[in-house]
Amino acid sequence: MKPMEIKKGIYWVGVVDWNVRSFHGHTYNTSRGTTYNAYLIVDDKIALVDTVYGPFANELINRIKEIIPPEKIDYVISNHVETDHSGAMPALMKLCPKARVFGTAKCKEGLYRNYYENWDFQTVKTGDTLKLGKRTLTFVEAPMIHWPDSMFTYCREEELLLSNDAFGQHYASNFRFDDEVEVCGLMDEAKKYYANILWPLGALISKKIEDVLKMGIPIKMVAPAHGIIWRKDPGKIIKSYLGWAKNETKPKVVIVYETMWKSTEKMARLIMEGLTDSGIEAKLYDIADADRTLVIGEMLDAKGFLIGSSTHDNDMLPNIAGFLELLKGLRPKSRFAAAFGSYGWAGGAAASIEKILKEAGAEIKMPSISCKFVPDSSEEIKCYEFGKDFAKMLQ
Ligand code: FEO
């Protein structure tokens, strides 16, 4: 794949990682692969914004070589120290050892602790600029979006925001722009990315976006460090981020359960019938088989969570327990939740689920529902009514 000129004299020189299927130590399933986007700005001075994951360093370097010899790079901007963006720096810096590296103070510390190299480093803060010639780059610190070192780089002349992880998606494609790919799949991946990585940081994200908008900087293109570049309608992803950051939801329910001998699953399906007959959008997942990254993505805009498990050793089953730990870490706000499940000789799962849902920040307004062994006909009706009552609460 050749470098792609995204603006006159500005090139995508990143890498498409078609086959990666897990990320962040297997916490994120990258079912559509991903990209590591790096951008080369050729002006009187030459700047590279971000690199790629270390195993792809040669691919980055070869792509740069199609435009300029790497030794001509004057500046390397490190928007974020995480290794999927900085991993190729040691190999690259060997080819341009005099290049000055720019990043936040936390970036400086992080790069050193990852690579133990003494590169010429200039620490930058929000509002600092770097003149390249016709173009000037402005740096905007973005701490905790999503690491303490994170920052954005903005090019006013091109109205281009190089946002690193923010606005990204784990989406591999041989195309580079939002108007070249299927929009539903793209937005699904952007939503999954936000939900699984940025959800707990909503307050910081909405403040940062509002601060950037207040700076009055026009943005015609948002080029993140993963996935597709937003050029058709960059406002769409910015608006979506603002909504997600403010925990905007719709009357939608995600049912997630784990079942031992299918009784809890039967309950889940009956509850789903109640929701469906109430006209509520709902999704249902057996977490033992489901892609939990996708499930978390579905939960982002859902007002209600219904979580079920059979009882095992007086507690919930281990897959749902692991999933709830993940959900707790994401700290969802302004959600209603309830628990359900079957048991044999003693219960326990529903109470454990309620406890962790409360710790996650969800509001429990309805008592849980439990059935001994297999639901009988009256319990089947109760499960159906449980779905209808939950729907009423959301409407
Ligand atoms: Fe894509 Fe935080 O790294």
Side-chain angles (χ1 to χ4, degrees):
M1 194 179 292
K2 296 204 173 305
M4 163 69 69
E5 192 170 32
I6 64 164
K7 292 264 185 185
K8 185 97 182 118
I10 303 182
Y11 302 85
W12 173 88
V13 287
V15 160
V16 181
D17 190 351
W18 293 100
N19 294 317
V20 64
R21 287 293 174 268
S22 62
F23 214 79
H24 277 161
H26 301 279
T27 59
Y28 193 119
N29 298 321
T30 42
S31 53
R32 285 185 167 108
T34 194
T35 75
Y36 313 107
N37 298 337
Y39 301 96
L40 188 73
I41 307 176
V42 179
D43 206 315
D44 297 343
K45 296 286 188 182
I46 297 177
L48 178 69
V49 181
D50 292 317
T51 69
V52 299
Y53 184 35
F56 295 94
N58 282 342
E59 203 174 322
L60 167 78
I61 289 165
N62 288 336
R63 211 153 271 139
I64 292 170
K65 280 180 179 168
E66 292 197 39
I67 306 160
I68 47 123
E71 58 268 27
K72 292 208 167 213
I73 295 173
D74 297 289
Y75 308 126
V76 176
I77 317 297
S78 180
N79 276 330
H80 179 28
V81 77
E82 196 164 8
T83 193
D84 50 326
H85 307 295
S86 70
M89 278 188 72
L92 177 86
M93 293 301 289
K94 281 195 174 69
L95 303 178
C96 53
K98 291 192 178 155
R100 176 169 283 187
V101 180
F102 291 73
T104 60
K106 289 279 182 195
C107 177
K108 181 179 182 183
E109 180 192 344
L111 286 179
Y112 185 75
R113 292 294 302 180
N114 273 280
Y115 308 112
Y116 298 97
E117 297 277 3
N118 288 302
W119 297 315
D120 175 16
F121 192 98
Q122 183 165 332
T123 301
V124 295
K125 301 187 298 304
T126 295
D128 288 353
T129 57
L130 174 64
K131 193 159 177 54
L132 301 180
K134 290 187 286 300
R135 304 179 189 86
T136 299
L137 302 180
T138 303
F139 304 110
V140 180
E141 293 166 280
M144 296 316 295
I145 306 175
H146 69 124
W147 273 21
D149 61 279
S150 299
M151 73 171 187
F152 305 154
T153 296
Y154 176 69
C155 179
R156 180 176 285 275
E157 293 77 7
E158 306 291 351
E159 302 183 346
L160 167 66
L161 184 70
L162 300 158
S163 57
N164 197 266
D165 279 327
F167 311 118
Q169 340 84 42
H170 285 311
Y171 188 101
S173 172
N174 60 332
F175 293 123
R176 298 274 62 81
F177 294 106
D178 53 347
D179 48 86
E180 297 174 316
V181 300
E182 192 262 312
V183 73
C184 290
L186 176 62
M187 285 310 291
D188 274 355
E189 289 303 327
K191 192 169 136 196
K192 268 164 65 176
Y193 192 94
Y194 183 96
N196 284 273
I197 294 178
L198 300 169
W199 196 342
L201 308 166
L204 288 167
I205 288 167
S206 56
K207 177 159 187 342
K208 178 53 62 179
I209 293 177
E210 277 156 11
D211 286 352
V212 168
L213 295 176
K214 268 187 221 149
M215 286 165 80
I217 58 174
I219 298 172
K220 283 220 176 116
M221 184 184 283
V222 174
H226 293 293
I228 295 298
I229 297 167
W230 307 91
R231 73 173 172 191
K232 184 182 175 199
D233 183 9
K236 182 183 169 83
I237 187 65
I238 294 171
K239 193 163 166 251
S240 296
Y241 261 54
L242 279 171
W244 295 331
K246 288 177 180 165
N247 277 293
E248 287 174 4
T249 55
K250 55 183 175 178
K252 167 183 166 184
V253 177
V254 178
I255 303 174
V256 192
Y257 66 91
E258 186 172 9
T259 193
M260 192 185 288
W261 291 111
K262 304 289 182 189
S263 286
T264 297
E265 179 167 285
K266 187 171 187 185
M267 294 175 76
R269 289 181 181 278
L270 291 161
I271 292 166
M272 170 61 102
E273 287 302 310
L275 292 166
T276 305
D277 288 353
S278 305
I280 288 274
E281 179 185 351
K283 302 272 169 123
L284 179 146
Y285 300 98
D286 177 348
I287 202 63
D289 294 320
D291 174 346
R292 63 185 177 188
T293 304
L294 181 152
V295 179
I296 292 289
E298 285 292 345
M299 292 174 112
L300 183 64
D301 60 2
K303 183 72 180 164
F305 305 156
L306 289 170
I307 310 294
S309 176
S310 318
T311 291
H312 178 259
D313 292 339
N314 303 111
D315 211 326
M316 64 186 114
L317 287 164
N319 285 301
I320 196 75
F323 177 78
L324 288 179
E325 277 302 323
L326 180 68
L327 184 68
K328 188 172 87 171
L330 296 171
R331 302 195 288 279
K333 289 194 173 59
S334 313
R335 265 70 175 186
F336 294 128
F340 65 94
S342 64
Y343 63 94
W345 53 98
S352 295
I353 290 169
E354 279 187 342
K355 179 171 178 288
I356 198 163
L357 282 170
K358 279 182 196 159
E359 287 168 6
E363 204 175 327
I364 311 281
K365 290 179 96 176
M366 268 176 53
S368 63
I369 181 168
S370 296
C371 295
K372 186 162 186 162
F373 290 120
V374 179
D376 64 16
S377 55
S378 72
E379 286 166 330
E380 285 182 7
I381 292 167
K382 278 185 188 158
C383 287
Y384 174 82
E385 293 298 334
F386 183 83
K388 290 203 93 166
D389 290 346
F390 196 78
K392 235 178 259 163
M393 202 170 62
L394 302 189
Q395 282 160 335

